[in-house]
Amino acid sequence: MLTAAHCVGSTGANTSITATAGVVDLQSTTGRVQVRSTYVYRAPGYNGNGKDWALIKLAQPINLPTLKIATTTQYNTGTFTVAGWGSATEGGSQQRYMLKATVPFVSDATCRSYSGYSGLIASDEICAGYAAGGVDTCQGDSGGPMFRRDAANAWIQVGIVSWGIGCARPNAPGVYSEVSTFAPAIASAAASL
């Protein structure tokens, strides 16, 4: 299971994470699948600045559709969908129902021009959001996917919720780990797990 490095501890055995799948309502038991982790693989060299990805090995496979990961930069633009159970407002509480939203790509140059974003790592981060704010990922969404349709109209994951300044503020887009940059390392790590 792909997530953000800042959501997990260091690489090694870990049985403290529970993955929930098959539901949009966290209180629903119909169709809910819950599987414990056995191991965490955090991106080598992760130090809180970029390289914000990790894999969680689960005790057993979850027999549900999964997102393919982008392996080229072809889909790192356009309009993206983000989803999660994080706060619906800055400082708010986790949501019972999964929320989703649509956010547009923000160029690296535009993103870097915003206050607090000069440290953006263009090679491994993508910004997305509206200049006016109002729609964003928030606390509790970290590690979740940013995805869009590919040329074959299949969903493909292009980003991992990483960081931002507040939530849905004007001129403060969400920043996402660029999956295509790490795709070879992700695939290699997944094969080794």
Side-chain angles (χ1 to χ4, degrees):
M1 185 173 83
L2 189 59
T3 189
H6 79 263
C7 294
V8 299
S10 56
T11 296
N14 184 325
T15 57
S16 68
I17 300 165
T18 301
T20 300
V23 293
V24 293
D25 174 356
L26 287 177
Q27 292 181 17
S28 172
T29 52
T30 308
R32 179 171 69 190
V33 178
Q34 290 190 303
V35 181
R36 302 271 298 160
S37 61
T38 60
Y39 193 86
V40 163
Y41 179 91
R42 192 165 66 182
Y46 171 74
N47 63 4
N49 191 20
K51 297 186 182 75
D52 195 7
W53 68 271
L55 289 171
I56 300 169
K57 182 175 183 177
L58 300 176
Q60 63 206 47
I62 292 178
N63 191 17
L64 289 167
T66 55
L67 286 168
K68 289 188 312 180
I69 64 170
T71 54
T72 71
T73 58
Q74 177 181 0
Y75 300 111
N76 292 357
T77 187
T79 301
F80 308 114
T81 300
V82 290
W85 285 279
S87 305
T89 55
E90 193 172 321
S93 57
Q94 180 179 341
Q95 298 297 294
R96 172 180 169 178
Y97 296 96
M98 180 185 279
L99 297 177
K100 67 177 182 143
T102 303
V103 286
F105 171 75
V106 174
S107 74
D108 292 335
T110 299
C111 195
R112 277 206 179 112
S113 74
Y114 295 134
S115 175
Y117 289 80
S118 60
L120 179 78
I121 303 167
S123 61
D124 79 33
E125 294 176 326
I126 305 172
C127 297
Y130 297 92
V135 181
D136 197 5
T137 46
C138 203
Q139 283 74 38
D141 289 323
S142 288
M146 178 170 78
F147 50 100
R148 57 161 288 178
R149 297 277 188 180
D150 67 12
N153 209 35
W155 291 108
I156 187 165
Q157 183 172 353
V158 296
I160 302 165
V161 180
S162 184
W163 64 277
I165 309 286
C167 302
R169 295 182 188 178
N171 302 322
V175 181
Y176 301 82
S177 295
E178 193 171 297
V179 169
S180 61
T181 299
F182 304 112
I186 291 167
S188 158
S192 76
L193 293 179

